[in-house]
Amino acid sequence: MSNVGFRIFKKVNRPGRELIDAFAGLPVANIADEMNRFSCVAARIKAVNKALLLGPAFTVKARIGDNMLFHKALDLAEPGDIIVVDVQGDTVNSVTGEIMMRQALKKGLGGIVIDGAVRDIGALREMSMPIYAAAVTPQGPYKDGPGEINVPVSIGGVVVNPGDILAGDADGIVVIRPQDAAVIAAKAKAKQQKEAETFKAIEAGTLDRSAYSDEAFIKKGCQIIDDFYR
């Protein structure tokens, strides 16, 4: 008999490390552009520190204001995993703080992403492990359950499945399905190289701006008036 809402799936179909590392050093904005600007986690979920996020998702669906399943995930997750905690965007109670994050850091986890609140922000800002959250509050959590581990969750408007690849930097987080990852990584690398050429053209003063000329705007139906607004 399935106990939906209070279940723990211990196994995660993690992508190979080589596939994950294909995104190392790539700006999240470039990755998102090559996904047609979809699968970006909502801007309200922000980086707590400057550490870069990259790894497979280990998901937690928690009851609002409760972190019992989050604690269990700390025991089950493997080094490099990113624990992704769905508390339905609630920010009344924090669901983690310095003690849990020190445990996660000691275990070598790849990061923490919470659609909810954290506390002990001063200590979290100094950590070398990436942490993302929607808010900060000193009000702590309960530890009663129920909840689920390694089921699909919703984080900032994006569905995250166990084993999905998460990449994050100061701009935010993008979620990549492993079956799409190789193609997306290749496209994002090509875009990064193209941008490098653009930067060179800017410095050399040779960047083509014809797409923004008066003629281009007129062609689109824009009225160009060589006079003051009256």
Side-chain angles (χ1 to χ4, degrees):
M1 181 170 153
S2 181
N3 192 15
V4 174
F6 203 3
R7 302 177 297 181
I8 295 172
F9 293 90
K10 287 190 172 182
K11 294 183 178 180
V12 177
N13 188 15
R14 296 174 179 84
R17 194 69 230 180
E18 184 177 350
L19 186 60
I20 295 170
D21 289 344
F23 293 93
L26 292 176
V28 168
N30 286 8
I31 299 170
D33 281 354
E34 297 307 326
M35 298 177 70
N36 289 296
R37 298 176 170 91
F38 281 100
S39 297
C40 295
V41 171
R44 59 185 172 77
I45 299 178
K46 301 182 185 299
V48 168
N49 53 43
K50 295 182 179 180
L52 299 178
L53 184 80
L54 182 61
F58 189 99
T59 64
V60 177
K61 182 174 287 190
R63 180 183 177 188
I64 287 175
D66 191 285
N67 74 355
M68 187 176 80
L69 273 292
F70 190 177
H71 270 283
K72 185 63 174 176
L74 283 178
D75 292 337
L76 296 176
E78 297 182 1
D81 283 349
I82 296 170
I83 296 182
V84 180
V85 186
D86 174 4
V87 286
Q88 302 170 58
D90 178 73
T91 57
V92 174
N93 297 81
S94 62
V95 292
T96 196
E98 183 178 4
I99 291 175
M100 289 179 71
M101 294 301 91
R102 282 182 177 271
Q103 293 175 67
L105 180 64
K106 175 67 174 177
K107 193 165 184 178
L109 297 188
I112 307 291
V113 177
I114 302 171
D115 195 348
V118 298
R119 64 180 179 178
D120 304 326
I121 190 67
L124 271 53
R125 283 183 178 140
E126 299 302 317
M127 287 190 176
S128 58
M129 178 184 67
I131 302 167
Y132 286 74
V136 179
T137 178
Q139 187 159 292
Y142 304 98
K143 305 178 189 301
D144 302 311
E148 297 186 305
I149 289 177
N150 286 325
V151 298
V153 297
S154 177
I155 299 291
V158 180
V159 173
V160 180
N161 295 289
D164 281 353
I165 299 170
L166 273 64
D169 57 21
D171 284 346
I173 302 169
V174 65
V175 181
I176 308 146
R177 299 194 332 158
Q179 52 266 52
D180 301 325
V183 172
I184 293 167
K187 288 183 176 180
K189 286 177 182 176
K191 181 177 180 62
Q192 188 178 34
Q193 291 171 357
K194 185 177 180 180
E195 284 191 351
E197 295 301 318
T198 298
F199 298 153
K200 290 179 182 178
I202 291 172
E203 293 302 315
T206 59
L207 184 66
D208 182 7
R209 297 283 296 171
S210 60
Y212 306 102
S213 66
D214 285 358
E215 291 76 12
F217 274 76
I218 291 169
K219 189 174 181 180
K220 286 181 175 289
C222 181
Q223 185 180 16
I224 305 292
I225 303 165
D226 188 17
D227 200 354
F228 299 104
Y229 174 77
R230 302 179 193 281

